[in-house]
């Protein structure tokens, strides 16, 4: 059976949606969920989750090596299975050491999923078909997380701790079901693992300056994404004066638009060069940040907030498709796992430091946050444009052209 068969795509999409559904339940409830199941204080839980996140960050190089040795399919399956075990054990983790162990398992599994999943996509398809599969994955994951968030809200309405025990059971079942589905995907590795003596390993990745530039650009642009969940709700309620429920509605609008428009926008962006398309997205991001900064002075209002939120979502849609495609297509096949793990570090580092950075900027005033965010994403966009010159010919043209159906080889010889 061919790697890009409809059966493989259907099973992959089903697994991705189920995985996202579980994340949609867990992410909004994390602190409340762990507090209800373990009985620990919120301070202890916050410290433990931070330590678990740092441990997961340190595990990423190992994850990349495992992906290259065993393939993205096996590592993604294992990550989902580990997460299922972790969620099933949360109700039993009443002591602090037990909680730390379970939190570490869940964090490592969650951070190992993106690079292994994208490596699996690299094995299932190539060229324009790979881009389409990435676009479907983004849209369905947003839809799944949205439905999961609705389910989480329903669970909170249940009496006592019943809802949290139900959440633990649903999370474990969803991850287990996704793991089983991934394990049955008829995908084979596109390249055999290179002999150990011929692999440059992480030295080869670290010598690839264009790919490191893509990673650095993503770190800067990532602050634009993290601001939505961390800083925007505070800004809208404190500085713009929106009720909390309406501020949450902005997030719902963003999620719905990304889920519905992700594939069509990705298809439209296929006519643009990847680096230039991603850079255009950063310019739209910056425009939305400038508009957010002006909202308090203009009196805010839900209509104005929604218009700016739609502009923000447009930046996300325009940037995400070509940027993610670049990260996967530019990775060298024989060590794709290491490449994608390094790229994932840009997201992980950004999410680790973002709460502190964005908190300081929020305390600084009403416009400082948006000025710094605009500068960060524009710097990332300029870095993408500068890096485009160093990319090989098959990555520079629009990614709907026939040149993109060739096998992806080296990004470029190290300068």
């Amino acid at each position: 059976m061919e790697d890009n068969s409809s059966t493989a795509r259907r099973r992959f999409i089903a697994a991705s949606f189920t995985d996202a559904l579980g994340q949609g339940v867990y992410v909004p409830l994390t602190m409340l969920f762990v507090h209800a199941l373990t009985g620990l204080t919120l301070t202890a839980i916050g410290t433990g989750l931070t330590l678990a996140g740092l441990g997961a960050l340190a595990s990423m190089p190992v994850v990349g090596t495992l992906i290259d040795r065993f393939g993205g399919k096996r590592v993604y399956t294992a990550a989902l299975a580990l997460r299922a075990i972790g969620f099933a054990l949360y109700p039993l983790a009443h002591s602090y050491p037990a909680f730390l162990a379970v939190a570490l398992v869940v964090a490592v599994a969650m951070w190992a999923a993106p690079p292994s999943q994208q490596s699996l996509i690299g094995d299932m398809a190539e060229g324009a078909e790979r881009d389409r599969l990435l676009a479907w994955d983004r849209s369905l994951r947003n839809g799944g997380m949205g439905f999961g968030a609705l389910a989480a809200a329903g669970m909170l309405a249940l009496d006592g701790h019943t809802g949290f025990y139900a959440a633990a059971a649903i999370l474990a079942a969803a991850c287990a079901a996704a793991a089983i589905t991934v394990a049955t995907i008829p995908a084979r590795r596109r390249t055999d693992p290179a002999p150990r003596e011929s692999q440059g390993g992480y030295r080869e990745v670290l010598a690839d300056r264009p790919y490191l530039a893509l990673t650095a650009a993503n770190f800067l642009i990532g602050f634009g994404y993290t601001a939505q969940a961390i800083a925007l709700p505070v800004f809208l309620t404190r500085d713009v004066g929106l009720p909390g429920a309406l501020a949450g509605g902005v997030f719902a609008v963003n999620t719905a638009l990304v889920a519905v428009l992700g594939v069509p926008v990705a298809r439209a962006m296929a006519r643009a060069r990847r680096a230039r398309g991603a850079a255009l997205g950063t310019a739209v991001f910056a425009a939305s940040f400038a508009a957010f900064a002006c909202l308090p002075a203009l009196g805010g209002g839900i209509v104005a907030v929604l218009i700016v939120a739609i502009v923000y979502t447009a930046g996300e849609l325009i940037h995400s498709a070509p940027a993610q495609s670049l990260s996967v297509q530019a990775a060298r096949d024989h060590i794709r796992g290491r490449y994608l793990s390094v790229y994932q570090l840009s997201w992980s580092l950004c999410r680790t430091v973002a709460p502190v950075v964005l908190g300081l900027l929020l305390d600084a005033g009403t416009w400082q946050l948006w000025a710094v965010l605009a500068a960060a994403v524009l710097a990332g966009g300029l870095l993408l444009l500068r890096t485009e010159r160093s990319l090989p010919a098959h990555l520079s043209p629009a990614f709907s052209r026939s040149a993109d159906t060739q096998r992806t080889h080296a990004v470029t010889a190290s300068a």
Side-chain angles (χ1 to χ4, degrees):
M1 185 175 294
E2 295 184 0
D3 294 336
N4 60 349
S5 67
S6 59
T7 299
R9 289 196 298 271
R10 284 196 301 268
R11 292 181 183 177
F12 174 82
I13 287 171
S16 181
F17 182 82
T18 306
D19 177 16
L21 192 68
Q23 288 194 52
V25 173
Y26 179 65
V27 172
L29 295 180
T30 302
M31 292 291 282
L32 291 175
F33 173 80
V34 177
H35 175 65
L37 295 180
T38 64
L40 298 169
T41 66
L42 293 177
T43 300
I45 292 170
T47 302
L49 291 175
T50 300
L51 291 173
L54 292 173
L57 189 68
S59 74
M60 292 308 299
V62 178
V63 169
T65 302
L66 292 174
I67 293 171
D68 291 330
R69 180 177 292 274
F70 300 107
K73 174 182 170 179
R74 290 182 178 178
V75 176
Y76 187 31
T77 301
L80 289 166
L82 272 178
R83 210 185 311 168
I85 293 170
F87 289 137
L89 291 176
Y90 254 132
L92 306 177
H94 297 294
S95 70
Y96 200 64
F99 158 66
L100 288 176
V102 173
L104 180 61
V105 167
V106 171
V108 170
M110 290 188 75
W111 286 20
S116 57
Q117 184 196 43
Q118 291 171 16
S119 182
L120 172 58
I121 291 175
D123 289 335
M124 292 173 61
E126 58 185 344
E129 178 61 25
R130 183 182 291 176
D131 293 324
R132 283 192 290 270
L133 197 53
L134 286 166
W136 273 107
D137 176 60
R138 281 192 304 274
S139 292
L140 288 169
R141 291 187 74 79
N142 272 276
M145 291 190 71
F147 282 116
L150 289 175
M155 291 171 192
L156 286 176
L158 298 177
D159 292 334
H161 289 178
T162 304
F164 294 105
Y165 284 107
I170 290 173
L171 286 166
C175 291
I180 293 170
T181 305
V182 171
T184 63
I185 293 175
R188 60 179 174 80
R189 299 185 68 177
R190 224 165 253 290
T191 56
D192 294 328
R196 181 174 299 180
E197 61 270 16
S198 67
Q199 287 187 8
Y202 280 105
R203 285 178 298 177
E204 186 174 344
V205 181
L206 295 177
D208 194 334
R209 295 181 183 177
Y211 199 87
L212 293 182
L214 294 179
T215 303
N218 190 64
F219 172 77
L220 293 171
I221 299 166
F223 284 98
Y225 284 87
T226 57
Q228 182 188 21
I230 297 173
L232 188 57
V234 176
F235 172 78
L236 292 178
T237 54
R238 186 194 69 181
D239 300 325
V240 182
L242 241 59
L246 291 180
V250 172
F251 179 80
V253 169
N254 170 268
T255 301
L257 288 176
V258 173
V260 173
L261 299 178
V263 174
V265 172
R267 190 177 294 121
M269 290 303 298
R271 292 190 287 270
R273 297 189 176 188
R274 288 186 177 90
R276 296 182 186 183
L280 175 62
T282 66
V284 179
F285 261 145
S288 73
F289 296 151
F292 274 127
C294 294
L295 282 178
L298 297 176
I302 184 60
V303 175
V305 169
L306 286 176
I307 291 173
V308 179
I310 290 172
V311 176
Y312 171 89
T313 303
E316 179 180 348
L317 288 166
I318 293 169
H319 168 265
S320 61
Q324 188 178 40
S325 178
L326 266 177
S327 71
V328 178
Q329 302 278 24
R332 301 177 183 178
D333 281 346
H334 66 290
I335 51 172
R336 186 190 297 129
R338 290 175 172 87
Y339 268 88
L340 294 177
S341 294
V342 168
Y343 193 81
Q344 176 64 22
L345 280 175
S346 64
W347 286 113
S348 304
L349 284 171
C350 179
R351 290 168 184 167
T352 299
V353 303
V356 175
V357 173
L358 298 181
L360 290 173
L361 291 172
L362 280 170
D363 285 338
T366 60
W367 60 268
Q368 288 86 345
L369 167 71
W370 306 111
V372 173
L373 287 177
V377 297
L378 287 176
L382 291 174
L383 189 54
L384 286 173
L385 292 176
R386 181 179 177 84
T387 305
E388 184 185 30
R389 306 172 196 166
S390 304
L391 297 174
H394 77 278
L395 284 177
S396 292
F399 53 94
S400 59
R401 298 182 184 177
S402 58
D404 238 358
T405 61
Q406 301 172 1
R407 289 287 303 277
T408 302
H409 295 297
V411 173
T412 185
S414 21

